[in-house]
PDB file of all heavy atoms in Angstrom:
ATOM      1  N   GLU I  57       1.565  22.979   9.824  1.00  0.00           N
ATOM      2  CA  GLU I  57       2.800  22.919  10.660  1.00  0.00           C
ATOM      3  C   GLU I  57       3.690  21.801  10.264  1.00  0.00           C
ATOM      4  O   GLU I  57       3.268  20.754   9.616  1.00  0.00           O
ATOM      5  CB  GLU I  57       2.416  22.750  12.108  1.00  0.00           C
ATOM      6  CG  GLU I  57       1.577  23.817  12.751  1.00  0.00           C
ATOM      7  CD  GLU I  57       2.234  25.181  12.725  1.00  0.00           C
ATOM      8  OE1 GLU I  57       3.491  25.222  12.722  1.00  0.00           O
ATOM      9  OE2 GLU I  57       1.460  26.212  12.573  1.00  0.00           O
ATOM     10  N   MET I  58       5.062  21.908  10.358  1.00  0.00           N
ATOM     11  CA  MET I  58       5.975  20.993   9.990  1.00  0.00           C
ATOM     12  C   MET I  58       5.664  19.596  10.547  1.00  0.00           C
ATOM     13  O   MET I  58       5.467  19.445  11.770  1.00  0.00           O
ATOM     14  CB  MET I  58       7.324  21.370  10.385  1.00  0.00           C
ATOM     15  CG  MET I  58       8.521  20.544   9.687  1.00  0.00           C
ATOM     16  SD  MET I  58      10.141  21.186  10.061  1.00  0.00           S
ATOM     17  CE  MET I  58      10.043  22.884   9.320  1.00  0.00           C
ATOM     18  N   GLY I  59       5.544  18.658   9.640  1.00  0.00           N
ATOM     19  CA  GLY I  59       5.214  17.266  10.039  1.00  0.00           C
ATOM     20  C   GLY I  59       3.746  16.834   9.924  1.00  0.00           C
ATOM     21  O   GLY I  59       3.456  15.648  10.060  1.00  0.00           O
ATOM     22  N   GLU I  60       2.891  17.826   9.834  1.00  0.00           N
ATOM     23  CA  GLU I  60       1.467  17.527   9.859  1.00  0.00           C
ATOM     24  C   GLU I  60       1.081  16.587   8.631  1.00  0.00           C
ATOM     25  O   GLU I  60       0.073  15.860   8.721  1.00  0.00           O
ATOM     26  CB  GLU I  60       0.643  18.819   9.911  1.00  0.00           C
ATOM     27  CG  GLU I  60       0.536  19.425  11.190  1.00  0.00           C
ATOM     28  CD  GLU I  60      -0.419  20.690  11.197  1.00  0.00           C
ATOM     29  OE1 GLU I  60      -0.799  21.069  10.132  1.00  0.00           O
ATOM     30  OE2 GLU I  60      -0.655  21.060  12.381  1.00  0.00           O
ATOM     31  N   ALA I  61       1.790  16.723   7.465  1.00  0.00           N
ATOM     32  CA  ALA I  61       1.363  15.881   6.394  1.00  0.00           C
ATOM     33  C   ALA I  61       1.413  14.413   6.710  1.00  0.00           C
ATOM     34  O   ALA I  61       0.643  13.623   6.089  1.00  0.00           O
ATOM     35  CB  ALA I  61       2.330  16.225   5.222  1.00  0.00           C
ATOM     36  N   SER I  62       2.238  13.938   7.691  1.00  0.00           N
ATOM     37  CA  SER I  62       2.314  12.611   7.996  1.00  0.00           C
ATOM     38  C   SER I  62       0.988  12.045   8.652  1.00  0.00           C
ATOM     39  O   SER I  62       0.843  10.898   8.733  1.00  0.00           O
ATOM     40  CB  SER I  62       3.442  12.428   8.931  1.00  0.00           C
ATOM     41  OG  SER I  62       3.288  13.086  10.161  1.00  0.00           O
ATOM     42  N   GLN I  63       0.083  12.940   9.001  1.00  0.00           N
ATOM     43  CA  GLN I  63      -1.194  12.565   9.539  1.00  0.00           C
ATOM     44  C   GLN I  63      -2.212  12.472   8.522  1.00  0.00           C
ATOM     45  O   GLN I  63      -3.337  11.963   8.737  1.00  0.00           O
ATOM     46  CB  GLN I  63      -1.625  13.612  10.542  1.00  0.00           C
ATOM     47  CG  GLN I  63      -0.657  13.760  11.649  1.00  0.00           C
ATOM     48  CD  GLN I  63      -1.049  14.882  12.735  1.00  0.00           C
ATOM     49  OE1 GLN I  63      -2.257  15.008  13.022  1.00  0.00           O
ATOM     50  NE2 GLN I  63      -0.094  15.737  13.026  1.00  0.00           N
ATOM     51  N   ASP I  64      -1.975  12.900   7.235  1.00  0.00           N
ATOM     52  CA  ASP I  64      -2.937  12.836   6.210  1.00  0.00           C
ATOM     53  C   ASP I  64      -2.878  11.474   5.428  1.00  0.00           C
ATOM     54  O   ASP I  64      -2.090  11.330   4.556  1.00  0.00           O
ATOM     55  CB  ASP I  64      -2.713  13.934   5.167  1.00  0.00           C
ATOM     56  CG  ASP I  64      -3.699  13.931   4.047  1.00  0.00           C
ATOM     57  OD1 ASP I  64      -4.704  13.164   4.068  1.00  0.00           O
ATOM     58  OD2 ASP I  64      -3.564  14.874   3.189  1.00  0.00           O
ATOM     59  N   GLU I  65      -3.679  10.521   6.000  1.00  0.00           N
ATOM     60  CA  GLU I  65      -3.596   9.057   5.494  1.00  0.00           C
ATOM     61  C   GLU I  65      -3.948   9.020   4.072  1.00  0.00           C
ATOM     62  O   GLU I  65      -3.318   8.358   3.201  1.00  0.00           O
ATOM     63  CB  GLU I  65      -4.397   8.210   6.300  1.00  0.00           C
ATOM     64  CG  GLU I  65      -4.008   8.149   7.744  1.00  0.00           C
ATOM     65  CD  GLU I  65      -4.878   7.036   8.489  1.00  0.00           C
ATOM     66  OE1 GLU I  65      -5.574   6.291   7.905  1.00  0.00           O
ATOM     67  OE2 GLU I  65      -4.692   6.987   9.776  1.00  0.00           O
ATOM     68  N   GLU I  66      -5.011   9.792   3.562  1.00  0.00           N
ATOM     69  CA  GLU I  66      -5.356   9.749   2.187  1.00  0.00           C
ATOM     70  C   GLU I  66      -4.326  10.404   1.404  1.00  0.00           C
ATOM     71  O   GLU I  66      -3.981   9.840   0.300  1.00  0.00           O
ATOM     72  CB  GLU I  66      -6.657  10.444   2.021  1.00  0.00           C
ATOM     73  CG  GLU I  66      -7.208  10.371   0.536  1.00  0.00           C
ATOM     74  CD  GLU I  66      -8.453  11.113   0.308  1.00  0.00           C
ATOM     75  OE1 GLU I  66      -9.221  11.434   1.295  1.00  0.00           O
ATOM     76  OE2 GLU I  66      -8.839  11.312  -0.813  1.00  0.00           O
ATOM     77  N   GLY I  67      -3.725  11.521   1.837  1.00  0.00           N
ATOM     78  CA  GLY I  67      -2.623  12.161   1.016  1.00  0.00           C
ATOM     79  C   GLY I  67      -1.523  11.336   0.849  1.00  0.00           C
ATOM     80  O   GLY I  67      -0.866  11.221  -0.292  1.00  0.00           O
ATOM     81  N   LEU I  68      -1.071  10.612   1.917  1.00  0.00           N
ATOM     82  CA  LEU I  68       0.072   9.719   1.742  1.00  0.00           C
ATOM     83  C   LEU I  68      -0.202   8.511   0.796  1.00  0.00           C
ATOM     84  O   LEU I  68       0.651   8.140   0.031  1.00  0.00           O
ATOM     85  CB  LEU I  68       0.468   9.083   3.148  1.00  0.00           C
ATOM     86  CG  LEU I  68       1.016  10.109   4.240  1.00  0.00           C
ATOM     87  CD1 LEU I  68       1.102   9.369   5.576  1.00  0.00           C
ATOM     88  CD2 LEU I  68       2.391  10.652   3.778  1.00  0.00           C
ATOM     89  N   GLN I  69      -1.412   8.065   0.842  1.00  0.00           N
ATOM     90  CA  GLN I  69      -1.787   7.016  -0.020  1.00  0.00           C
ATOM     91  C   GLN I  69      -1.815   7.593  -1.498  1.00  0.00           C
ATOM     92  O   GLN I  69      -1.454   6.774  -2.383  1.00  0.00           O
ATOM     93  CB  GLN I  69      -3.187   6.385   0.314  1.00  0.00           C
ATOM     94  CG  GLN I  69      -3.613   5.280  -0.548  1.00  0.00           C
ATOM     95  CD  GLN I  69      -5.014   4.740  -0.209  1.00  0.00           C
ATOM     96  OE1 GLN I  69      -6.014   5.403  -0.253  1.00  0.00           O
ATOM     97  NE2 GLN I  69      -5.082   3.459   0.256  1.00  0.00           N
ATOM     98  N   THR I  70      -2.212   8.728  -1.688  1.00  0.00           N
ATOM     99  CA  THR I  70      -2.276   9.347  -3.031  1.00  0.00           C
ATOM    100  C   THR I  70      -0.840   9.417  -3.529  1.00  0.00           C
ATOM    101  O   THR I  70      -0.664   9.153  -4.779  1.00  0.00           O
ATOM    102  CB  THR I  70      -2.962  10.778  -2.922  1.00  0.00           C
ATOM    103  OG1 THR I  70      -4.246  10.625  -2.553  1.00  0.00           O
ATOM    104  CG2 THR I  70      -2.788  11.434  -4.282  1.00  0.00           C
ATOM    105  N   MET I  71       0.101   9.728  -2.713  1.00  0.00           N
ATOM    106  CA  MET I  71       1.496   9.767  -3.112  1.00  0.00           C
ATOM    107  C   MET I  71       2.065   8.399  -3.585  1.00  0.00           C
ATOM    108  O   MET I  71       2.773   8.285  -4.485  1.00  0.00           O
ATOM    109  CB  MET I  71       2.423  10.417  -2.049  1.00  0.00           C
ATOM    110  CG  MET I  71       2.129  11.887  -1.650  1.00  0.00           C
ATOM    111  SD  MET I  71       2.430  12.899  -3.056  1.00  0.00           S
ATOM    112  CE  MET I  71       0.736  13.500  -3.364  1.00  0.00           C
ATOM    113  N   ARG I  72       1.597   7.411  -2.776  1.00  0.00           N
ATOM    114  CA  ARG I  72       2.073   6.046  -3.149  1.00  0.00           C
ATOM    115  C   ARG I  72       1.501   5.505  -4.439  1.00  0.00           C
ATOM    116  O   ARG I  72       2.241   4.972  -5.212  1.00  0.00           O
ATOM    117  CB  ARG I  72       1.740   5.119  -1.976  1.00  0.00           C
ATOM    118  CG  ARG I  72       2.458   5.360  -0.639  1.00  0.00           C
ATOM    119  CD  ARG I  72       2.323   4.193   0.319  1.00  0.00           C
ATOM    120  NE  ARG I  72       0.869   4.014   0.660  1.00  0.00           N
ATOM    121  CZ  ARG I  72       0.289   4.510   1.773  1.00  0.00           C
ATOM    122  NH1 ARG I  72       0.951   5.461   2.542  1.00  0.00           N
ATOM    123  NH2 ARG I  72      -0.944   4.222   2.012  1.00  0.00           N
ATOM    124  N   VAL I  73       0.171   5.752  -4.623  1.00  0.00           N
ATOM    125  CA  VAL I  73      -0.501   5.382  -5.857  1.00  0.00           C
ATOM    126  C   VAL I  73       0.173   6.202  -7.044  1.00  0.00           C
ATOM    127  O   VAL I  73       0.461   5.637  -8.104  1.00  0.00           O
ATOM    128  CB  VAL I  73      -1.986   5.668  -5.792  1.00  0.00           C
ATOM    129  CG1 VAL I  73      -2.574   5.476  -7.150  1.00  0.00           C
ATOM    130  CG2 VAL I  73      -2.651   4.795  -4.727  1.00  0.00           C
ATOM    131  N   LEU I  74       0.461   7.460  -6.820  1.00  0.00           N
ATOM    132  CA  LEU I  74       1.081   8.260  -7.786  1.00  0.00           C
ATOM    133  C   LEU I  74       2.460   7.655  -8.227  1.00  0.00           C
ATOM    134  O   LEU I  74       2.740   7.479  -9.521  1.00  0.00           O
ATOM    135  CB  LEU I  74       1.262   9.621  -7.315  1.00  0.00           C
ATOM    136  CG  LEU I  74       2.123  10.629  -8.253  1.00  0.00           C
ATOM    137  CD1 LEU I  74       1.504  10.770  -9.578  1.00  0.00           C
ATOM    138  CD2 LEU I  74       2.344  11.993  -7.588  1.00  0.00           C
ATOM    139  N   ALA I  75       3.306   7.259  -7.243  1.00  0.00           N
ATOM    140  CA  ALA I  75       4.621   6.786  -7.576  1.00  0.00           C
ATOM    141  C   ALA I  75       4.481   5.392  -8.323  1.00  0.00           C
ATOM    142  O   ALA I  75       5.228   5.139  -9.193  1.00  0.00           O
ATOM    143  CB  ALA I  75       5.377   6.508  -6.301  1.00  0.00           C
ATOM    144  N   ARG I  76       3.494   4.545  -7.894  1.00  0.00           N
ATOM    145  CA  ARG I  76       3.257   3.239  -8.681  1.00  0.00           C
ATOM    146  C   ARG I  76       2.805   3.524 -10.094  1.00  0.00           C
ATOM    147  O   ARG I  76       3.317   2.889 -11.018  1.00  0.00           O
ATOM    148  CB  ARG I  76       2.251   2.467  -7.990  1.00  0.00           C
ATOM    149  CG  ARG I  76       2.660   1.879  -6.545  1.00  0.00           C
ATOM    150  CD  ARG I  76       1.702   0.826  -5.971  1.00  0.00           C
ATOM    151  NE  ARG I  76       2.148   0.512  -4.676  1.00  0.00           N
ATOM    152  CZ  ARG I  76       1.409   0.993  -3.606  1.00  0.00           C
ATOM    153  NH1 ARG I  76       0.451   1.887  -3.663  1.00  0.00           N
ATOM    154  NH2 ARG I  76       1.876   0.656  -2.295  1.00  0.00           N
ATOM    155  N   ASN I  77       1.805   4.466 -10.253  1.00  0.00           N
ATOM    156  CA  ASN I  77       1.486   4.725 -11.579  1.00  0.00           C
ATOM    157  C   ASN I  77       2.551   5.304 -12.459  1.00  0.00           C
ATOM    158  O   ASN I  77       2.717   5.075 -13.691  1.00  0.00           O
ATOM    159  CB  ASN I  77       0.252   5.682 -11.571  1.00  0.00           C
ATOM    160  CG  ASN I  77      -0.982   5.157 -11.034  1.00  0.00           C
ATOM    161  OD1 ASN I  77      -1.071   3.865 -10.905  1.00  0.00           O
ATOM    162  ND2 ASN I  77      -2.005   6.013 -10.709  1.00  0.00           N
ATOM    163  N   MET I  78       3.386   6.222 -11.862  1.00  0.00           N
ATOM    164  CA  MET I  78       4.401   6.814 -12.643  1.00  0.00           C
ATOM    165  C   MET I  78       5.607   5.771 -12.874  1.00  0.00           C
ATOM    166  O   MET I  78       5.959   5.676 -14.029  1.00  0.00           O
ATOM    167  CB  MET I  78       5.119   7.882 -11.763  1.00  0.00           C
ATOM    168  CG  MET I  78       6.164   8.691 -12.423  1.00  0.00           C
ATOM    169  SD  MET I  78       6.782  10.063 -11.397  1.00  0.00           S
ATOM    170  CE  MET I  78       7.828  10.866 -12.576  1.00  0.00           C
ATOM    171  N   SER I  79       5.757   4.834 -12.014  1.00  0.00           N
ATOM    172  CA  SER I  79       6.752   3.803 -12.303  1.00  0.00           C
ATOM    173  C   SER I  79       6.237   2.897 -13.469  1.00  0.00           C
ATOM    174  O   SER I  79       7.012   2.421 -14.419  1.00  0.00           O
ATOM    175  CB  SER I  79       6.891   2.851 -11.142  1.00  0.00           C
ATOM    176  OG  SER I  79       7.394   3.556  -9.961  1.00  0.00           O
ATOM    177  N   PHE I  80       4.910   2.557 -13.507  1.00  0.00           N
ATOM    178  CA  PHE I  80       4.345   1.766 -14.532  1.00  0.00           C
ATOM    179  C   PHE I  80       4.421   2.518 -15.909  1.00  0.00           C
ATOM    180  O   PHE I  80       4.854   1.901 -16.943  1.00  0.00           O
ATOM    181  CB  PHE I  80       2.900   1.541 -14.223  1.00  0.00           C
ATOM    182  CG  PHE I  80       2.165   0.762 -15.333  1.00  0.00           C
ATOM    183  CD1 PHE I  80       2.232  -0.775 -15.364  1.00  0.00           C
ATOM    184  CD2 PHE I  80       1.407   1.427 -16.292  1.00  0.00           C
ATOM    185  CE1 PHE I  80       1.572  -1.389 -16.418  1.00  0.00           C
ATOM    186  CE2 PHE I  80       0.795   0.671 -17.145  1.00  0.00           C
ATOM    187  CZ  PHE I  80       0.826  -0.698 -17.259  1.00  0.00           C
ATOM    188  N   LEU I  81       4.221   3.770 -15.904  1.00  0.00           N
ATOM    189  CA  LEU I  81       4.280   4.536 -17.143  1.00  0.00           C
ATOM    190  C   LEU I  81       5.760   4.573 -17.652  1.00  0.00           C
ATOM    191  O   LEU I  81       5.926   4.385 -18.887  1.00  0.00           O
ATOM    192  CB  LEU I  81       3.834   6.005 -16.871  1.00  0.00           C
ATOM    193  CG  LEU I  81       2.330   6.387 -17.247  1.00  0.00           C
ATOM    194  CD1 LEU I  81       2.107   7.828 -16.873  1.00  0.00           C
ATOM    195  CD2 LEU I  81       2.092   6.117 -18.713  1.00  0.00           C
ATOM    196  N   MET I  82       6.680   4.925 -16.768  1.00  0.00           N
ATOM    197  CA  MET I  82       8.081   4.870 -17.185  1.00  0.00           C
ATOM    198  C   MET I  82       8.567   3.565 -17.697  1.00  0.00           C
ATOM    199  O   MET I  82       9.201   3.507 -18.829  1.00  0.00           O
ATOM    200  CB  MET I  82       8.920   5.436 -16.126  1.00  0.00           C
ATOM    201  CG  MET I  82       8.803   6.815 -15.717  1.00  0.00           C
ATOM    202  SD  MET I  82      10.002   7.403 -14.563  1.00  0.00           S
ATOM    203  CE  MET I  82       9.542   6.382 -13.139  1.00  0.00           C
ATOM    204  N   LYS I  83       8.161   2.523 -17.131  1.00  0.00           N
ATOM    205  CA  LYS I  83       8.600   1.202 -17.664  1.00  0.00           C
ATOM    206  C   LYS I  83       7.945   0.863 -19.017  1.00  0.00           C
ATOM    207  O   LYS I  83       8.655   0.240 -19.920  1.00  0.00           O
ATOM    208  CB  LYS I  83       8.269   0.046 -16.556  1.00  0.00           C
ATOM    209  CG  LYS I  83       9.009   0.147 -15.375  1.00  0.00           C
ATOM    210  CD  LYS I  83       8.563  -0.822 -14.319  1.00  0.00           C
ATOM    211  CE  LYS I  83       9.344  -0.701 -13.071  1.00  0.00           C
ATOM    212  NZ  LYS I  83       8.946  -1.649 -11.974  1.00  0.00           N
ATOM    213  N   CYS I  84       6.672   1.248 -19.117  1.00  0.00           N
ATOM    214  CA  CYS I  84       5.930   0.955 -20.451  1.00  0.00           C
ATOM    215  C   CYS I  84       6.531   1.814 -21.439  1.00  0.00           C
ATOM    216  O   CYS I  84       6.692   1.360 -22.594  1.00  0.00           O
ATOM    217  CB  CYS I  84       4.497   1.322 -20.269  1.00  0.00           C
ATOM    218  SG  CYS I  84       3.561   0.110 -19.252  1.00  0.00           S
ATOM    219  N   ILE I  85       6.944   3.048 -21.172  1.00  0.00           N
ATOM    220  CA  ILE I  85       7.425   3.908 -22.266  1.00  0.00           C
ATOM    221  C   ILE I  85       8.858   3.442 -22.630  1.00  0.00           C
ATOM    222  O   ILE I  85       9.273   3.460 -23.729  1.00  0.00           O
ATOM    223  CB  ILE I  85       7.418   5.345 -21.697  1.00  0.00           C
ATOM    224  CG1 ILE I  85       6.120   5.975 -21.692  1.00  0.00           C
ATOM    225  CG2 ILE I  85       8.423   6.275 -22.594  1.00  0.00           C
ATOM    226  CD1 ILE I  85       5.937   7.260 -21.021  1.00  0.00           C
ATOM    227  N   HIS I  86       9.648   2.933 -21.600  1.00  0.00           N
ATOM    228  CA  HIS I  86      10.958   2.461 -21.816  1.00  0.00           C
ATOM    229  C   HIS I  86      10.834   1.284 -22.768  1.00  0.00           C
ATOM    230  O   HIS I  86      11.629   1.195 -23.819  1.00  0.00           O
ATOM    231  CB  HIS I  86      11.606   2.044 -20.538  1.00  0.00           C
ATOM    232  CG  HIS I  86      12.929   1.470 -20.758  1.00  0.00           C
ATOM    233  ND1 HIS I  86      13.103   0.017 -20.908  1.00  0.00           N
ATOM    234  CD2 HIS I  86      14.284   1.979 -20.781  1.00  0.00           C
ATOM    235  CE1 HIS I  86      14.427  -0.295 -20.952  1.00  0.00           C
ATOM    236  NE2 HIS I  86      15.062   0.899 -20.944  1.00  0.00           N
ATOM    237  N   ASP I  87       9.965   0.313 -22.541  1.00  0.00           N
ATOM    238  CA  ASP I  87       9.870  -0.776 -23.378  1.00  0.00           C
ATOM    239  C   ASP I  87       9.317  -0.422 -24.775  1.00  0.00           C
ATOM    240  O   ASP I  87       9.679  -1.001 -25.815  1.00  0.00           O
ATOM    241  CB  ASP I  87       8.843  -1.875 -22.713  1.00  0.00           C
ATOM    242  CG  ASP I  87       9.540  -2.560 -21.503  1.00  0.00           C
ATOM    243  OD1 ASP I  87      10.747  -2.369 -21.282  1.00  0.00           O
ATOM    244  OD2 ASP I  87       8.802  -3.239 -20.798  1.00  0.00           O
ATOM    245  N   GLY I  88       8.352   0.565 -24.820  1.00  0.00           N
ATOM    246  CA  GLY I  88       7.825   0.965 -26.008  1.00  0.00           C
ATOM    247  C   GLY I  88       8.811   1.601 -26.921  1.00  0.00           C
ATOM    248  O   GLY I  88       8.755   1.445 -28.192  1.00  0.00           O
ATOM    249  N   LYS I  89       9.662   2.384 -26.365  1.00  0.00           N
ATOM    250  CA  LYS I  89      10.805   3.097 -27.072  1.00  0.00           C
ATOM    251  C   LYS I  89      11.656   2.000 -27.702  1.00  0.00           C
ATOM    252  O   LYS I  89      12.170   2.121 -28.855  1.00  0.00           O
ATOM    253  CB  LYS I  89      11.536   4.042 -26.294  1.00  0.00           C
ATOM    254  CG  LYS I  89      10.861   5.353 -25.925  1.00  0.00           C
ATOM    255  CD  LYS I  89      11.417   6.041 -24.777  1.00  0.00           C
ATOM    256  CE  LYS I  89      12.835   6.410 -24.929  1.00  0.00           C
ATOM    257  NZ  LYS I  89      13.351   7.354 -23.836  1.00  0.00           N
ATOM    258  N   GLU I  90      11.950   0.994 -27.022  1.00  0.00           N
ATOM    259  CA  GLU I  90      12.759  -0.027 -27.556  1.00  0.00           C
ATOM    260  C   GLU I  90      12.151  -0.784 -28.731  1.00  0.00           C
ATOM    261  O   GLU I  90      12.811  -1.127 -29.757  1.00  0.00           O
ATOM    262  CB  GLU I  90      13.002  -1.180 -26.463  1.00  0.00           C
ATOM    263  CG  GLU I  90      13.817  -0.784 -25.282  1.00  0.00           C
ATOM    264  CD  GLU I  90      15.374  -0.562 -25.608  1.00  0.00           C
ATOM    265  OE1 GLU I  90      15.823  -1.543 -26.355  1.00  0.00           O
ATOM    266  OE2 GLU I  90      16.004   0.322 -25.149  1.00  0.00           O
ATOM    267  N   LYS I  91      10.866  -0.889 -28.723  1.00  0.00           N
ATOM    268  CA  LYS I  91      10.175  -1.595 -29.826  1.00  0.00           C
ATOM    269  C   LYS I  91       9.705  -0.714 -30.950  1.00  0.00           C
ATOM    270  O   LYS I  91       9.839  -1.063 -32.080  1.00  0.00           O
ATOM    271  CB  LYS I  91       8.935  -2.307 -29.240  1.00  0.00           C
ATOM    272  CG  LYS I  91       8.218  -3.233 -30.204  1.00  0.00           C
ATOM    273  CD  LYS I  91       7.151  -4.087 -29.608  1.00  0.00           C
ATOM    274  CE  LYS I  91       6.525  -5.020 -30.539  1.00  0.00           C
ATOM    275  NZ  LYS I  91       5.422  -5.871 -29.991  1.00  0.00           N
ATOM    276  N   TYR I  92       9.221   0.523 -30.585  1.00  0.00           N
ATOM    277  CA  TYR I  92       8.612   1.319 -31.531  1.00  0.00           C
ATOM    278  C   TYR I  92       9.360   2.730 -31.802  1.00  0.00           C
ATOM    279  O   TYR I  92       9.092   3.427 -32.811  1.00  0.00           O
ATOM    280  CB  TYR I  92       7.157   1.735 -31.141  1.00  0.00           C
ATOM    281  CG  TYR I  92       6.331   0.518 -30.932  1.00  0.00           C
ATOM    282  CD1 TYR I  92       5.853   0.149 -29.688  1.00  0.00           C
ATOM    283  CD2 TYR I  92       5.837  -0.292 -32.022  1.00  0.00           C
ATOM    284  CE1 TYR I  92       5.033  -0.902 -29.552  1.00  0.00           C
ATOM    285  CE2 TYR I  92       5.063  -1.344 -31.919  1.00  0.00           C
ATOM    286  CZ  TYR I  92       4.696  -1.744 -30.574  1.00  0.00           C
ATOM    287  OH  TYR I  92       3.867  -2.832 -30.412  1.00  0.00           O
ATOM    288  N   GLY I  93      10.278   3.050 -30.775  1.00  0.00           N
ATOM    289  CA  GLY I  93      10.922   4.375 -30.970  1.00  0.00           C
ATOM    290  C   GLY I  93      10.018   5.388 -30.470  1.00  0.00           C
ATOM    291  O   GLY I  93       8.889   5.189 -29.926  1.00  0.00           O
ATOM    292  N   LEU I  94      10.401   6.697 -30.635  1.00  0.00           N
ATOM    293  CA  LEU I  94       9.593   7.838 -30.220  1.00  0.00           C
ATOM    294  C   LEU I  94       8.598   8.257 -31.295  1.00  0.00           C
ATOM    295  O   LEU I  94       8.815   7.918 -32.458  1.00  0.00           O
ATOM    296  CB  LEU I  94      10.495   8.979 -29.837  1.00  0.00           C
ATOM    297  CG  LEU I  94      11.254   8.873 -28.488  1.00  0.00           C
ATOM    298  CD1 LEU I  94      12.356   9.993 -28.455  1.00  0.00           C
ATOM    299  CD2 LEU I  94      10.354   8.858 -27.235  1.00  0.00           C
TER     300      LEU I  94
END
């Protein structure tokens, strides 16, 4: 039902961890492209 996902504590945490990991990857790749290229 609409809104039920807000009750899934593990799922919400999974989304937060995903966003942190994705942010880390993007930043590392950005810096790596500056130094090494693609």
Side-chain angles (χ1 to χ4, degrees):
E57 300 299 331
M58 192 173 295
E60 282 186 347
S62 62
Q63 301 173 45
D64 182 2
E65 293 184 12
E66 182 180 345
L68 292 171
Q69 185 181 61
T70 298
M71 293 300 113
R72 294 193 298 270
V73 173
L74 172 61
R76 290 190 189 98
N77 289 350
M78 187 174 185
S79 299
F80 178 82
L81 264 178
M82 288 189 296
K83 290 175 181 178
C84 289
I85 290 170
H86 177 270
D87 291 348
K89 282 163 62 174
E90 291 287 321
K91 186 172 183 180
Y92 302 110
L94 288 171

